[in-house]
Amino acid sequence: MEAKKLEGLVALEQALVKVPLEQFRRAFKTSQKHVEKEWLALAISAQEHINKIDFNSATAKEDALKIIDGLSARFMVLKKKLQDSKDEEAVYTSRSRIRLQHLDDLLTVPGQESPAFTRWSKTQLDRVLVDYMLREGCFETAQLLADDAEIEQLVDVELFSHSKTIEDALKRKSCTECLQWCKDNSSALKKIKSNLEFNLRFQEYVELVRAQKLTEAITYLKKHLTPCADVHLKEVQLAAALLAFESDTICTRYKAVFDAVRWDALISQFRANNCTINSLTTQPMLHTSLQAGLSALKTPMCYQPENQNVNCPVCDSHVFGALAEKLPNAHHVNSCLVCRISGDIMNEDNAPMVLPNGYVYSRKALEEMAERHDGILTCPRTGTQFHVSQMRKAFTI
């Protein structure tokens, strides 16, 4: 295949490789922090027990053995956790290798007409569909398709499933699961300067005020919001003043704080942060792929009802036209004339013909129409009828 086409395909697949690598990096860092923490705790514990042993007593040996047994048990627990981390890292390593092989297979494809490219494209299409279904919450269908197509290692079912659990919790107006996620990914969230955790804490505080649990709300304010005053001073001041209002207040500023739409904003922010730290694209690959194709077809005529072509997907304003609305028009160095009747390209073998009213259609389409109607041509745009002898060949410069 051409190098430019390969570059274009691979450019769309960055997330395919980045996701498992990011998961591996995060799993490794978590394991490393856990080992360092546990090792330090073991060293301190061992030293404290050694200092308590009276080596001159008759039970010194037994005391030492008890200490060793206790440390051995803790070492075994640490060993098991390390093994679990190793297994998890092995899964991500294997997944990265399989995905890189999937992209490498494209490099060996001789051409777009070859069976190898057809197989690769089928796998790619299945992967794009699974990705879309996962983002839309159709997990059972996505899992069935992934199993049937044998692409389990090319999709991120577990990642989206965990995200869906957190989103469902936010829809139930519970911040617990999302706060735990923030804790597990605190370093990554800090790196992208996210304020998601603060917003979650603020929302929990709002719910306490809404329920008129003012004592609990004040305690929560002091514990979770006030320490962030150096960065979120205005929000903390707003939270403090909120104690003086009830949820049915008519004061615009505080009414907005009680508005349930804030939960939707939290869900949107979680999705955006989750995509960022996991190197996921913000929109489904299906949309990206469709938009790439539609932008090559879009012209200014697509949104002019009188000039739309029935065979052009962009001209369908209810489906693809809506998706392509904000896309740029296609850049064509050479013009291409398409017959409105047949949808065929007009060229030297199918010359453009002009009717007396100035509209142009292909010779083949007009001749077929004339054969069916005894030499009478009906312009599909105006409804005006002409004899076939009245059409004239058009010349383009």
Side-chain angles (χ1 to χ4, degrees):
M1 291 182 65
E2 297 179 10
K4 289 185 178 180
K5 291 183 179 179
L6 287 174
E7 290 177 3
L9 286 171
V10 173
L12 293 172
E13 299 301 332
Q14 294 185 25
L16 181 68
V17 179
K18 284 185 176 181
V19 170
L21 289 178
E22 185 64 29
Q23 289 174 323
F24 176 88
R25 184 190 66 79
R26 192 155 49 250
F28 177 77
K29 283 192 172 183
T30 301
S31 176
Q32 185 181 36
K33 287 181 179 178
H34 183 76
V35 170
E36 291 175 353
K37 181 180 178 180
E38 193 67 22
W39 186 261
L40 179 62
L42 283 169
I44 295 174
S45 178
Q47 188 60 49
E48 289 178 350
H49 282 87
I50 290 173
N51 293 336
K52 292 179 181 179
I53 297 176
D54 183 2
F55 292 97
N56 296 321
S57 67
T59 60
K61 184 176 180 180
E62 294 179 2
D63 293 340
L65 290 173
K66 289 180 180 179
I67 293 172
I68 293 173
D69 289 341
L71 293 175
S72 297
R74 294 186 65 176
F75 271 115
M76 291 301 295
V77 173
L78 177 60
K79 180 181 178 181
K80 185 179 183 303
K81 290 182 178 179
L82 289 177
Q83 185 61 48
D84 293 341
S85 298
K86 183 179 178 181
D87 294 341
E88 183 181 8
E89 291 166 9
V91 170
Y92 297 140
T93 302
S94 174
R95 189 171 296 173
S96 297
R97 187 180 296 110
I98 292 172
R99 296 186 179 194
L100 288 171
Q101 183 61 50
H102 172 66
L103 295 179
D104 187 63
D105 290 342
L106 184 62
L107 302 177
T108 61
V109 172
Q112 289 180 296
E113 304 300 325
S114 65
F117 182 75
T118 302
R119 290 192 299 271
W120 191 90
S121 298
K122 178 62 170 62
T123 300
Q124 184 71 356
L125 176 60
D126 289 336
R127 194 180 69 79
V128 169
L129 290 175
V130 171
D131 173 78
Y132 180 78
M133 287 187 284
L134 288 173
R135 291 173 184 265
E136 293 298 313
C138 305
F139 291 99
E140 292 184 7
T141 307
Q143 186 64 63
L144 288 172
L145 178 56
D147 294 340
D148 183 66
E150 298 181 351
I151 56 171
E152 298 89 342
Q153 297 301 318
L154 297 177
V155 292
D156 302 293
V157 178
E158 303 90 345
L159 179 59
F160 282 106
S161 179
H162 182 56
S163 301
K164 183 64 164 55
T165 301
I166 296 175
E167 289 184 21
D168 288 343
L170 289 174
K171 290 177 181 178
R172 297 192 308 269
K173 299 184 178 181
S174 171
C175 297
T176 306
E177 293 81 354
C178 197
L179 284 170
Q180 182 59 46
W181 180 84
C182 290
K183 182 179 179 181
D184 297 337
N185 298 276
S186 57
S187 298
L189 291 172
K190 185 177 181 181
K191 187 176 181 180
I192 64 174
K193 298 180 180 180
S194 171
N195 63 345
L196 176 59
E197 183 176 0
F198 177 83
N199 290 339
L200 289 167
R201 295 293 185 187
F202 188 94
Q203 190 61 38
E204 285 197 326
Y205 169 80
V206 170
E207 296 306 317
L208 289 174
V209 177
R210 188 197 306 275
Q212 287 297 294
K213 299 179 180 179
L214 300 184
T215 303
E216 295 180 32
I218 293 172
T219 304
Y220 193 95
L221 173 66
K222 292 179 179 179
K223 182 178 180 180
H224 296 291
L225 300 183
T226 304
C228 303
D230 55 335
V231 180
H232 302 284
L233 178 60
K234 291 184 178 180
E235 290 84 353
V236 174
Q237 291 175 338
L238 180 66
L242 193 67
L243 292 167
F245 296 87
E246 295 184 358
S247 58
D248 58 351
T249 179
I250 59 173
C251 181
T252 305
R253 184 180 184 185
Y254 297 96
K255 183 179 180 180
V257 177
F258 285 114
D259 197 330
V261 75
R262 289 177 56 87
W263 286 102
D264 296 330
L266 287 174
I267 293 174
S268 298
Q269 186 178 8
F270 164 72
R271 286 177 181 172
N273 288 174
N274 188 43
C275 287
T276 301
I277 67 175
N278 287 292
S279 301
L280 290 168
T281 54
T282 54
Q283 68 174 359
M285 275 291 297
L286 181 62
H287 287 183
T288 304
S289 301
L290 286 173
Q291 288 173 344
L294 293 173
S295 64
L297 300 173
K298 183 181 177 183
T299 68
M301 301 296 180
C302 291
Y303 294 91
Q304 299 175 10
E306 67 277 6
N307 294 316
Q308 290 178 340
N309 191 309
V310 294
N311 296 309
C312 174
V314 184
C315 290
D316 184 356
S317 59
H318 298 294
V319 185
F320 295 113
L323 187 60
E325 187 173 1
K326 296 183 180 180
L327 297 177
N329 293 323
H331 175 69
H332 294 287
V333 177
N334 298 315
S335 298
C336 180
L337 301 179
V338 180
C339 177
R340 183 178 180 83
I341 297 175
S342 64
D344 297 333
I345 295 176
M346 293 183 279
N347 50 31
E348 63 275 7
D349 298 322
N350 187 21
M353 306 299 292
V354 185
L355 295 179
N357 62 359
Y359 288 104
V360 180
Y361 305 99
S362 68
R363 177 189 290 275
K364 291 181 180 179
L366 292 176
E367 288 178 346
E368 289 176 2
M369 183 186 295
E371 289 178 5
R372 293 194 303 269
H373 300 91
D374 299 325
I376 300 299
L377 303 175
T378 302
C379 178
R381 296 192 182 187
T382 64
T384 310
Q385 293 186 334
F386 306 96
H387 192 269
V388 67
S389 61
Q390 294 179 275
M391 67 179 186
R392 296 288 183 269
K393 185 176 181 179
F395 297 89
T396 58
I397 300 176

